[in-house]
């Protein structure tokens, strides 16, 4: 287990006698913690990337500027994309002319369908009338077959006209949709050469310069919340099972010497980084420093447990094998509980008020 900075709040301070190596054992409070390290980040901090290859033509913003969602950040060389969009517009206009021709054919076909429908209605009426009188032998078999054939032909002609009309309508719809979609795709591709902000915030850094060849893997800028920060910390895999959401974190920053800030864990990423063998967690400040900047270095102790009114001694007084040196020069075996880099908890073998000596 790792232990970083240690925070003790001792109610009864162990005091020395005239012999500086002699210690009177007293009770106090000890706090066990897990060490973590990381950086300060702006809430929502993210790196901006382009989605296409191109030359960076112009940077539209400056570092430190407030950014709105959807605001234009960079423009890339888009000559080819502009030509493609113009070609798509021309094709769309030509298709509109073609569609008008198809629409005229549809109108003609609708007239033919109506005519076929009227003829079918007439032939069906004649067929039904002759079918009834055929029983009385008023009409010859040949004549009836001629009437029946005319009815069937009209029915087929009507169904065929309906099918042709339906195909023309589908053709018109497909042509319109295809050409409209091609124009949308070309316009969208042109917009890809404009890099815009996904969120509102503050522009912390611009990483590239105008004239640079950009790929989708090239970081362009860093944006995040302007007045809201969090801690992104890494915890060793051996300690991770003891870390939970809501635990208190005591934090020191290189920028604020000798100051300790309190934070609370509010997010744990449930996957280990295989390279560093650490887990990433996030914590928010209870009362943040007056000024913060992204990527400030932070060291932290995640408070696991605190024991009050327990015997603690400096580790310098603890002999190998967990024993202490008494005044008679004898060694006494003790049972050790919590540890940190300064003190050890003694849970058995010593009583408050007893004298122990620092080993030479």
């Amino acid at each position: 287990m790792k232990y970083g900075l240690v925070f003790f709040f001792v109610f009864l301070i162990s005091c020395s006698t005239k012999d500086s190596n002699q210690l009177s054992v007293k009770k106090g409070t000890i706090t066990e913690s897990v060490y973590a390290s990381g950086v300060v980040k702006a809430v929502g901090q993210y790196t901006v990337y382009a989605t296409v290859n191109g030359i960076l033509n112009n940077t539209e913003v400056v570092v430190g500027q407030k950014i709105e969602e959807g605001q234009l950040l960079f423009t890339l060389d888009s000559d080819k994309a502009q030509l493609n969009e113009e070609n798509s517009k021309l094709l769309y206009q030509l298709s509109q002319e073609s569609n008008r021709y198809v629409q005229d054919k549809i109108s003609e076909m609708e007239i033919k369908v109506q005519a076929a429908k009227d003829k079918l209605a007439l032939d069906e009426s004649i067929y039904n009338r002759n079918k009834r009188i055929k029983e009385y032998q008023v009409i010859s078999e040949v004549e009836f077959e001629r009437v029946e054939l005319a009815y069937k032909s009209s029915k087929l002609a009507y169904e065929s006209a309906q099918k042709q009309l339906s195909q023309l309508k589908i053709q018109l719809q497909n042509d319109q949709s295809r050409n409209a979609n091609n124009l949308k795709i070309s316009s969208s591709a042109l917009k890809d050469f404009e890099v815009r902000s996904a969120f509102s915030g503050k522009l912390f850094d611009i990483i590239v310069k105008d004239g640079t060849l950009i790929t989708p893997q090239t970081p362009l800028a860093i944006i995040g919340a302007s007045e809201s920060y969090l801690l992104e910390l890494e915890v060793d895999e051996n300690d991770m099972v003891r870390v939970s959401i809501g635990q208190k974190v005591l934090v020191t920053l290189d920028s604020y010497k000798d100051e300790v800030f309190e934070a609370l864990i509010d997010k744990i990423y449930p996957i280990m980084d295989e390279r560093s063998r650490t887990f990433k967690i996030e914590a928010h400040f209870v009362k943040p420093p007056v000024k913060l900047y992204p990527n400030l270095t932070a060291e932290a102790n995640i408070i696991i447990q605190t024991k009050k009114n327990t015997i603690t001694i400096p580790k310098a007084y603890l002999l190998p094998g967990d024993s202490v040196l008494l005044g008679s020069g004898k060694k006494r075996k003790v049972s050790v509980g919590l540890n940190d880099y300064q003190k050890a908890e003694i849970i058995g073998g010593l009583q408050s008020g007893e004298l122990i000596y620092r080993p030479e």
Side-chain angles (χ1 to χ4, degrees):
M1 180 189 302
K2 296 180 186 176
Y3 296 94
L5 305 174
V6 180
F7 304 91
F8 294 103
F9 307 93
V10 180
F11 299 130
L12 298 175
I13 303 175
S14 300
C15 58
S16 299
T17 63
K18 293 180 180 179
D19 186 346
S20 60
N21 289 328
Q22 180 180 293
L23 180 73
S24 177
V25 176
K26 299 293 182 180
K27 290 186 177 182
T29 300
I30 184 171
T31 300
E32 182 186 16
S33 62
V34 166
Y35 176 75
S37 63
V39 295
V40 174
K41 283 199 170 183
V43 172
Q45 181 176 324
Y46 77 102
T47 303
V48 179
Y49 292 90
T51 59
V52 294
N53 297 319
I55 302 296
L56 179 59
N57 273 350
N58 194 36
T59 300
E60 307 291 341
V61 287
V62 295
V63 173
Q65 178 179 341
K66 184 178 179 181
I67 301 298
E68 299 296 334
E69 181 179 347
Q71 183 173 340
L72 180 63
L73 305 176
F74 304 96
T75 55
L76 306 183
D77 179 18
S78 58
D79 289 347
K80 185 177 180 181
Q82 286 177 332
L83 290 174
N84 287 336
E85 185 190 35
E86 290 175 5
N87 287 337
S88 296
K89 285 181 179 178
L90 290 174
L91 289 174
Y92 182 76
Q93 291 170 357
L94 290 173
S95 70
Q96 293 298 99
E97 295 294 331
S98 176
N99 289 341
R100 280 193 283 271
Y101 170 72
V102 175
Q103 187 65 58
D104 291 341
K105 291 184 66 176
I106 288 175
S107 298
E108 293 177 6
M109 199 66 226
E110 286 175 340
I111 294 173
K112 290 182 179 180
V113 168
Q114 186 60 46
K117 183 180 180 180
D118 294 341
K119 187 174 187 308
L120 172 62
L122 176 62
D123 289 345
E124 184 178 14
S125 175
I126 294 172
Y127 168 74
N128 289 332
R129 184 171 64 252
N130 281 275
K131 185 178 181 181
R132 288 193 299 269
I133 65 176
K134 181 176 178 292
E135 299 175 0
Y136 302 100
Q137 297 181 348
V138 176
I139 185 173
S140 66
E141 188 69 28
V142 173
E143 185 65 19
F144 178 76
E145 289 177 355
R146 184 185 66 77
V147 171
E148 183 180 29
L149 181 60
Y151 163 64
K152 290 181 178 179
S153 297
S154 295
K155 187 176 181 181
L156 288 174
Y158 174 62
E159 291 174 351
S160 177
Q162 279 188 314
K163 187 175 181 180
Q164 291 180 43
L165 177 60
S166 178
Q167 288 176 339
L168 282 172
K169 288 181 177 180
I170 291 173
Q171 177 187 343
L172 177 63
Q173 183 178 1
N174 289 344
D175 288 345
Q176 288 177 332
S177 298
R178 182 176 60 253
N179 291 306
N181 287 339
N182 287 338
L183 182 57
K184 287 180 181 179
I185 291 171
S186 298
S187 298
S188 177
L190 184 60
K191 290 180 180 179
D192 288 340
F193 288 83
E194 296 180 346
V195 182
R196 297 180 179 273
S197 177
F199 306 100
S200 298
K202 182 178 181 179
L203 182 63
F204 290 109
D205 193 15
I206 295 175
I207 305 171
V208 292
K209 294 182 179 180
D210 292 354
T212 304
L213 175 62
I214 303 300
T215 72
Q217 290 76 42
T218 306
L220 305 179
I222 297 175
I223 295 175
S226 58
E227 300 297 335
S228 184
Y229 294 88
L230 56 82
L231 289 159
E232 188 176 282
L233 304 171
E234 292 183 349
V235 179
D236 188 88
E237 62 174 315
N238 296 319
D239 298 325
M240 193 60 212
V241 294
R242 311 176 69 201
V243 177
S244 303
I245 290 177
Q247 285 177 325
K248 183 188 292 186
V249 184
L250 299 175
V251 185
T252 59
L253 303 170
D254 288 346
S255 300
Y256 289 87
K257 301 293 185 182
D258 303 322
E259 291 190 62
V260 178
F261 301 95
E262 187 176 326
L264 295 174
I265 297 174
D266 51 20
K267 188 173 185 179
I268 295 175
Y269 290 82
I271 188 170
M272 184 181 71
D273 187 317
E274 294 183 353
R275 292 173 296 177
S276 64
R277 312 300 297 179
T278 59
F279 285 81
K280 183 168 71 172
I281 67 171
E282 289 182 2
H284 67 272
F285 287 101
V286 175
K287 186 177 180 182
V290 177
K291 285 186 178 181
L292 282 175
Y293 300 94
N295 299 335
L296 289 179
T297 302
E299 289 189 279
N301 282 272
I302 302 168
I303 305 303
I304 303 301
Q305 59 176 316
T306 299
K307 283 190 177 182
K308 298 181 179 180
N309 198 30
T310 187
I311 292 175
T312 62
I313 64 171
K315 279 191 172 181
Y317 286 77
L318 191 63
L319 295 169
D322 294 344
S323 60
V324 294
L325 186 64
L326 302 177
S328 59
K330 293 182 180 181
K331 295 180 181 179
R332 181 188 295 177
K333 184 73 174 177
V334 294
S335 298
V336 179
L338 299 183
N339 274 283
D340 56 65
Y341 86 104
Q342 276 189 339
K343 289 192 176 185
E345 178 196 15
I346 305 301
I347 59 176
L350 276 179
Q351 298 294 324
S352 179
E354 289 190 274
L355 297 176
I356 60 174
Y357 292 82
R358 185 199 301 267
E360 295 294 337

